[in-house]
Amino acid sequence: MIWVTWRQHRTESFILLGVLVLSSIFLLVTGLTMANTFQQSGLSNCLANDKDTRALLTICGPLGSAFLNQYGPLFPFAAALLILPILLGAMVGAPLVARECEQHTNLLVWMQSITRTRWLTVKVALVLGTGLLVAGVLLVLLTWWYRPFSQLNGSFNQVAFDFSGPVLIAATVLALALGIFVGTLTRRTVFAIFLTLALILAIRLPVEFGLRPNYEPQITVTWPLDAQGNKTNNVSCNGPQQQTPLQCMQADGYRGNYLSYQPADRFWTFQWIETGLYLAISVLALGATFWLVRRRLV
Amino acid sequence: MSNALETTRLSKRYGRLWALQDCTLALPAGRVAALVGPNGAGKTTLLNLSVGLLEPTEGLVQVFGCSPLKQTTETLPRLGFVAQNHPLYMDFTVANLLTLGRKLNPRWDDRLARGRMQKLSIPLDRRAGKLSGGQQAQVALVLALAKRPDLLLLDEPLASLDPLARREFLRTLMDAVAETGLTVLLSSHIIGDLERVCDYLIILSASYVQLADAIASVHTVIERLVGPRQEVDAIASVHTVIETSQTERQTTLLVRINGPLFDPSWEVQEVSLEDIVLAYLGQQATERLSSSPSAQKRMEVVQ
């Protein structure tokens, strides 16, 4: 069965390998250049010497800005590789069972001497294995590539969070599991591909924008308005001309500034929470797939 | 003799529609059986139930005494199946397909498979998608045969083949039957071709089994009676009248003989298999047209 699955997905495997090699070359070349600049410009030394706050502000600041200006535009290209796991789910996961049903080849393979469960197990295991491999390569390369940025900005932000830990692996498994499930349910390849894409987005967007900022209660700090009055400049306040903005706001009833945030040391907790969430959904989807293949037949 | 396939009150319903109802039949091992019936009669449903691709709504199906759905590891190696339109992995070469068969079947006979391909002059390095329809059907058949099944089920294997390909297909099949004595059940609505190869007949119509019997005994018990025009009540009281046609002068009956025939005014004629099948199917059509036919009435015809 392993051979059969490999023979069936030979073409996809080669395409995937090609994409992965090209992506790796891009990341390696740009990553090495960045790391070089990071070292050469003195930015690396400057950041390492974090005792001296004055030096941090006066020397590192401009160096960091220059670095970000130079290499920041590359970031969207690297981040675009995060589409790869999603595409894998839609283009490999969704057709896995759907295409067999559509072309009735399931009637051929199910009537060989192996059970349907075994057939599905091998297919799912190989595809998930490939997914893990792809996600692993991306995880290692992207984390390494992002390191200079990480030292400047950290990894606990909307995009970097997605490729800086096990969440990337879990998201890949999720995409594949959803694809396989939807394909088995609909048995129509093209429909399943689009439904899978929609479903992945319908799960991941609310998770990333709705749940992720609240896995743990945000920490809120407040300070009086006048302590750092310049912060009020952002707020429009319509009062009499002779008032300063600060006075205007105080007159309107504002009593303080506040900031809600998630501290950086929660990074790994959040990674594991989200990983667990995605893996749980994946297990449900795969369980349903096995049930469907065993119960609902031709 | 033991039965290769046995069904007891087997029924399958899709939503509100019964695809097969109360199907009770036994196919003795070693037979080559034809499953005939009009489109939508439930032939594919019966075959899919028999190999465990479908789960019965009611009733029981057994292959060599095992349930094909629950005891798959016992039944699968003993079953060969060629689905409608003989599906193959079209981007596999013929050699790839044989490798698939070898890897997935413990009883695989590689020499048989390669020998047949050579005999049929089908190149092993050709992709299945590039083969002609007849060759694809042959490859599908050889894949099923090389599995060394004890029961082979073929769903409309002849439907998409031209007459020559049909004959070659049946020749491959009959060679295998002669060599191994496997039991075959093949569905078709082309009756003429089947008469030469089949020795058992199952007529399925409107989701019921109308007849299941050895063709030899069908020939002896079903006769055409031709006589002067008369009422058929006397005959119908003893024998089962399958079809009646009246002209001004004479009455022609197709009758299942249930006992001795006393009235000398009837002349007895042989009937062809095709006539028998058509009579059974025609009877269904008229029954459906005339009144609302009850299931009971149809069952009587069978018994």
Side-chain angles (χ1 to χ4, degrees):
Chain A
M1 195 55 222
I2 296 173
W3 177 85
V4 175
T5 310
W6 155 246
R7 177 61 190 80
Q8 272 182 280
H9 298 283
R10 219 168 45 178
T11 319
E12 285 107 309
S13 308
F14 286 136
I15 294 173
L16 184 63
L17 189 68
V19 170
L20 209 55
V21 166
L22 287 179
S23 312
S24 307
I25 291 174
F26 165 75
L27 288 178
L28 283 173
V29 170
T30 55
L32 284 172
T33 321
M34 282 196 307
N36 201 30
T37 311
F38 195 68
Q39 199 72 39
Q40 299 286 311
S41 68
L43 194 53
S44 157
N45 283 333
C46 160
L47 287 172
N49 185 19
D50 58 356
K51 302 266 179 345
D52 190 348
T53 325
R54 245 180 67 89
L56 269 178
L57 280 174
T58 53
I59 308 174
C60 297
L63 280 177
S65 299
F67 183 85
L68 288 178
N69 278 336
Q70 192 178 357
Y71 293 108
L74 281 179
F75 182 69
F77 291 100
L81 292 178
L82 290 175
I83 288 180
L84 217 58
I86 297 174
L87 285 182
L88 204 61
M91 309 304 287
V92 178
L96 190 71
V97 176
R99 187 175 293 144
E100 301 246 12
C101 293
E102 211 167 52
Q103 301 177 348
H104 303 295
T105 44
N106 57 340
L107 301 183
L108 173 71
V109 74
W110 288 355
M111 290 314 298
Q112 306 304 313
S113 302
I114 58 162
T115 62
R116 271 190 283 265
T117 311
R118 167 100 185 283
W119 167 81
L120 186 61
T121 308
V122 173
K123 276 170 96 82
V124 167
L126 286 181
V127 167
L128 281 186
T130 311
L132 289 181
L133 209 69
V134 171
V137 169
L138 283 182
L139 174 62
V140 169
L141 280 176
L142 280 171
T143 311
W144 168 79
W145 186 89
Y146 187 72
R147 245 184 31 211
F149 290 102
S150 172
Q151 281 171 271
L152 290 168
N153 290 341
S155 299
F156 208 2
N157 57 60
Q158 200 71 49
V159 179
F161 187 84
D162 283 342
F163 60 73
S164 302
V167 161
L168 178 59
I169 309 256
T172 310
V173 172
L174 175 76
L176 282 170
L178 286 178
I180 296 169
F181 167 66
V182 169
T184 310
L185 190 70
T186 63
R187 310 178 195 197
R188 275 152 55 208
T189 310
V190 177
F191 181 56
I193 288 174
F194 285 108
L195 192 59
T196 303
L197 286 176
L199 206 58
I200 293 172
L201 293 182
I203 290 178
R204 287 195 55 185
L205 292 182
V207 165
E208 296 195 11
F209 292 97
L211 292 183
R212 189 188 288 168
N214 299 302
Y215 288 146
E216 282 185 53
Q218 297 186 353
I219 291 174
T220 304
V221 289
T222 55
W223 62 92
L225 270 180
D226 44 3
Q228 295 197 18
N230 54 345
K231 292 219 173 200
T232 58
N233 289 350
N234 297 333
V235 184
S236 67
C237 185
N238 294 322
Q241 287 294 324
Q242 64 270 28
Q243 282 185 331
T244 64
L246 177 62
Q247 286 167 333
C248 167
M249 295 206 56
Q250 280 168 334
D252 279 2
Y254 292 97
R255 288 293 168 265
N257 289 303
Y258 83 98
L259 177 69
S260 290
Y261 72 104
Q262 296 284 3
D265 59 9
R266 290 184 184 173
F267 179 82
W268 289 106
T269 315
F270 276 39
Q271 280 279 337
W272 290 118
I273 289 175
E274 198 160 310
T275 301
L277 183 66
Y278 285 165
L279 288 184
I281 300 174
S282 308
V283 167
L284 285 181
L286 288 177
T289 306
F290 274 90
W291 185 83
L292 275 176
V293 164
R294 288 174 62 140
R295 291 283 311 171
R296 210 185 58 183
L297 310 163
V298 175
Chain B
M1 203 190 310
S2 67
N3 290 323
L5 174 70
E6 245 184 88
T7 68
T8 316
R9 298 188 65 89
L10 188 64
S11 305
K12 178 70 190 177
R13 190 181 57 197
Y14 294 107
R16 282 202 202 143
L17 207 71
W18 287 96
L20 189 72
Q21 270 187 296
D22 267 337
C23 169
T24 300
L25 61 86
L27 177 61
R31 295 283 189 178
V32 178
L35 176 63
V36 297
N39 292 329
K43 299 192 294 285
T44 300
T45 305
L46 175 59
L47 290 177
N48 285 344
L49 286 165
S50 303
V51 296
L53 285 173
L54 280 178
E55 195 180 5
T57 312
E58 286 163 23
L60 204 69
V61 56
Q62 288 197 311
V63 176
F64 302 106
C66 293
S67 159
L69 196 68
K70 295 192 181 91
Q71 292 156 283
T72 42
T73 40
E74 279 97 47
T75 52
L76 273 179
R78 304 187 71 179
L79 280 172
F81 183 63
V82 177
Q84 214 158 359
N85 301 321
H86 36 78
L88 295 171
Y89 291 108
M90 290 306 173
D91 57 335
F92 278 38
T93 63
V94 176
N96 287 158
L97 286 168
L98 296 188
T99 310
L100 176 147
R102 197 180 71 234
K103 299 225 178 225
L104 300 187
N105 297 291
R107 291 159 62 153
W108 181 259
D109 187 340
D110 210 47
R111 194 182 322 158
L112 178 145
R114 284 171 191 279
R116 292 257 184 252
M117 293 303 173
Q118 199 170 19
K119 205 168 160 191
L120 295 160
S121 43
I122 294 174
L124 289 180
D125 56 355
R126 177 108 15 118
R127 282 172 192 269
K130 301 256 190 234
L131 296 173
S132 73
Q135 286 175 319
Q136 287 177 6
Q138 292 275 15
V139 170
L141 176 63
V142 170
L143 276 179
L145 286 174
K147 219 186 140 187
R148 285 268 173 223
D150 298 319
L151 172 61
L152 176 65
L153 298 101
L154 309 164
D155 194 359
E156 297 280 0
L158 307 175
S160 60
L161 304 185
D162 63 59
L164 188 66
R166 232 177 260 169
R167 203 158 76 190
E168 286 179 348
F169 185 92
L170 289 176
R171 188 183 299 147
T172 309
L173 179 64
M174 292 326 288
D175 283 356
V177 170
E179 280 168 33
T180 62
L182 86 163
T183 314
V184 179
L185 176 59
L186 71 115
S187 76
S188 181
H189 45 241
I190 305 162
I191 305 151
D193 287 305
L194 301 179
E195 193 153 17
R196 280 182 288 125
V197 297
C198 297
D199 57 10
Y200 202 87
L201 180 66
I202 299 169
I203 300 179
L204 203 60
S205 170
S207 76
Y208 284 95
V209 173
Q210 307 294 331
L211 175 95
D213 208 347
I215 287 179
S217 68
V218 169
H219 273 303
T220 57
V221 298
I222 296 183
E223 307 281 10
R224 176 177 287 127
L225 304 183
V226 183
R229 187 184 168 90
Q230 54 186 287
E231 287 305 311
V232 297
D233 296 354
I235 285 277
S237 65
V238 182
H239 310 291
T240 313
V241 177
I242 302 166
E243 188 186 49
T244 314
S245 60
Q246 304 257 19
T247 63
E248 251 172 64
R249 295 219 187 128
Q250 68 175 22
T251 299
T252 309
L253 303 176
L254 204 63
V255 172
R256 177 180 263 271
I257 305 291
N258 297 331
L261 190 69
F262 295 116
D263 191 344
S265 65
W266 293 106
E267 184 196 334
V268 179
Q269 292 178 349
E270 278 262 322
V271 277
S272 73
L273 194 61
E274 190 154 4
D275 286 335
I276 295 171
V277 171
L278 288 175
Y280 268 106
L281 301 183
Q283 178 193 31
Q284 275 306 305
T286 48
E287 243 182 57
R288 246 177 286 165
L289 281 178
S290 60
S291 62
S292 62
S294 69
Q296 203 51 44
K297 201 165 161 192
R298 281 183 221 159
M299 291 306 288
E300 276 167 20
V301 175
V302 182
Q303 278 142 15

